Amino acid sequence: MPMEKLHAELLEQFSSVWHHSRVRRYLTSEEWKSPEAKEKPWYGLLMLLRRYPEHFVINTRSKGRVTLEFVSLVSLLS
């Protein structure tokens, strides 16, 4: 699933349920100082998923200056 789509789905489903500081930290790029975070609102979510490589696989595809990230559950790949 594209990170952008996963991010949008999580925001829609859970932003009204999760505590605001958690939503802001992982579902927005406000707390991250990286220049990459300014371009990608899902940057915090990407960093969270990268902490758990035993559960998530992140694939990156680049075409010119455009980079796309996709995430998969490890259990679906096995």
Side-chain angles (χ1 to χ4, degrees):
M1 169 179 272
M3 280 298 299
E4 189 171 9
K5 184 176 179 181
L6 176 61
H7 177 258
E9 186 69 27
L10 288 173
L11 271 177
E12 182 181 324
Q13 295 293 322
F14 298 107
S15 63
S16 63
V17 177
W18 287 347
H19 187 268
H20 182 69
S21 65
R22 287 188 181 178
V23 172
R24 188 174 64 224
R25 180 166 184 191
Y26 294 114
L27 295 182
T28 70
S29 57
E30 294 172 6
E31 306 247 340
W32 304 90
K33 305 299 182 210
S34 166
E36 186 180 6
K38 293 180 183 1
E39 300 171 9
K40 299 177 181 180
W42 60 89
Y43 186 79
L45 179 60
L46 184 62
M47 295 297 102
L48 176 65
L49 297 179
R50 284 185 177 161
R51 287 187 195 171
Y52 301 97
E54 68 275 14
H55 299 292
F56 302 99
V57 174
I58 299 170
N59 294 306
T60 303
R61 293 186 187 153
S62 296
K63 186 174 185 179
R65 293 185 153 230
V66 177
T67 302
L68 301 172
E69 288 93 6
F70 296 87
V71 64
S72 301
L73 286 171
V74 170
S75 61
L76 294 178
L77 297 175
S78 309

